[in-house]
Amino acid sequence: MLSDMEVKKIEKLCLENRQNILRMVHGAKSGHIGGSLSACEIMTVLFHKCMKHSLGGKDFKDYPTRDRFILSKGHISPLYYSVLSQIGFIEKEELDSFRKLGTRLQGHPTLWCPGVEIATGSLGQGLSVGCGKAMAMKLDNINSHVFVLLGDGELQEGNVWEAFMQASHRKLDNLVAIIDRNRLQIDGNTENIKSLDNLGDKLKAFGWNVIEIDGHDINACYGAIESAKSYKNAPSVIIANTIKGKGVSFMENNAGWHGTAPNDEDFEKAMKELC
């Protein structure tokens, strides 16, 4: 459990991330707000409290015992860049360059951006890459973890389930998958497009240690990640139940805000709610 003071600090960082997301997408007039807002707590807790990473912008590849993070749902790059700015990989001023031609902060993460392990964006591939990295770390006797954040709509890709099967077969207990279960994708509700329920039972049947939480509860996020890190002989998956567009009332549970940039009026309304 985190202390009350630590929880308040994470809450403040989450608020800053949500404000940054809105500024970036509004400034670029394009980008993905809904899923960025829903994953704020889980990613903020992960990077600020649970991961081993090189701070201060150091070349992280000089730190081989670091934990690895793969943003499989690469379209929520606004959140990723905001978190990277908080821990010192990029300057906060650089966030204003989001999605501009020739800059390091493209619509999907690329290796141009410090702190990014792999370019992502083609949905369904991140967990397979995570399996490969986790297997390599086992072979090199590196006692660290690979964290992969997936969207729930992304689970409709067959490649994901091959990776679930591979990780269990190889007993990759250094691999932690986190699913942002906000139940909405670009075309609507996941259960209407291709049902995933009962997701926890499916993943247990694939041999994973399953932890299900409220993805907006900071202590629940912290406890789940720490529990997953200590689990042995099987990979762990955290199903983080979230609200798409969390924090902005007119964006919450609205699939229309999956990849829509706010106009000036909506931006002002949203920022007032977050102040």
Side-chain angles (χ1 to χ4, degrees):
M1 287 269 300
L2 297 172
S3 68
D4 289 345
M5 185 177 296
E6 288 174 306
V7 169
K8 285 187 170 114
K9 182 178 178 182
I10 294 295
E11 287 174 343
K12 186 176 179 181
L13 290 166
C14 288
L15 179 61
E16 179 183 69
N17 283 328
R18 288 191 164 95
Q19 292 169 337
N20 285 341
I21 290 162
L22 283 165
R23 289 191 190 99
M24 293 164 72
V25 176
H26 173 255
K29 295 184 171 51
S30 67
H32 294 80
I33 282 185
S36 294
L37 293 174
S38 65
C40 266
E41 281 76 17
I42 196 76
M43 273 193 68
T44 306
V45 170
L46 176 64
F47 275 84
H48 284 277
K49 287 295 177 184
C50 302
M51 274 185 66
K52 294 185 296 183
H53 48 68
S54 55
L55 298 175
K58 175 185 173 183
D59 185 351
F60 70 160
K61 291 177 183 176
D62 292 336
Y63 180 31
T65 59
R66 71 191 182 279
D67 290 327
R68 275 71 165 169
F69 174 75
I70 298 167
L71 183 63
S72 191
K73 50 179 290 184
H75 54 282
I76 69 159
S77 60
L79 172 58
Y80 196 10
Y81 298 144
S82 181
V83 171
L84 289 175
S85 77
Q86 289 176 334
I87 61 175
F89 279 108
I90 59 177
E91 296 295 327
K92 292 189 179 181
E93 292 75 18
E94 192 171 357
L95 298 179
D96 293 336
S97 71
F98 176 63
R99 278 188 174 239
K100 291 185 170 62
L101 187 64
T103 68
R104 300 193 297 183
L105 308 189
Q106 292 300 299
H108 292 84
T110 73
L111 295 177
W112 295 342
C113 180
V116 173
E117 291 278 352
I118 184 169
T120 56
S122 184
L123 294 173
Q125 298 182 4
L127 191 60
S128 294
V129 176
C131 283
K133 286 184 176 288
M135 290 173 66
M137 289 161 66
K138 289 272 190 185
L139 290 169
D140 289 339
N141 293 314
I142 295 175
N143 186 26
S144 300
H145 287 84
V146 180
F147 299 93
V148 182
L149 180 63
L150 304 105
D152 51 359
E154 181 179 8
L155 302 189
Q156 294 161 3
E157 298 278 357
N159 195 16
V160 176
W161 295 92
E162 293 177 15
F164 280 133
M165 202 161 40
Q166 171 73 355
S168 174
H169 176 70
R170 294 294 178 184
K171 296 183 170 35
L172 298 179
D173 53 11
N174 59 342
L175 177 64
V176 179
I178 305 169
I179 298 169
D180 182 11
R181 185 73 167 117
N182 60 39
R183 294 180 174 267
L184 290 176
Q185 58 192 99
I186 193 167
D187 291 327
N189 190 287
T190 56
E191 302 315 289
N192 294 332
I193 295 163
K194 190 180 289 184
S195 178
L196 294 167
D197 282 335
N198 193 340
L199 183 56
D201 289 344
K202 288 182 171 72
L203 294 169
K204 285 176 186 173
F206 270 68
W208 283 62
N209 170 45
V210 177
I211 306 168
E212 191 158 0
I213 60 166
D214 175 351
H216 299 303
D217 183 315
I218 288 166
N219 261 320
C221 292
Y222 176 75
I225 296 167
E226 290 301 306
S227 175
K229 283 164 60 177
S230 64
Y231 197 84
K232 298 302 180 186
N233 297 316
S236 292
V237 56
I238 299 167
I239 302 172
N241 292 298
T242 62
I243 297 170
K244 195 148 191 164
K246 175 69 173 177
V248 179
S249 61
F250 59 90
M251 294 181 180
E252 289 187 356
N253 284 321
N254 185 340
W257 287 104
H258 173 86
T260 302
N263 59 28
D264 292 347
E265 182 182 352
D266 286 335
F267 174 72
E268 293 299 329
K269 282 168 56 181
M271 289 300 287
K272 280 181 183 177
E273 291 191 18
L274 293 173
C275 288

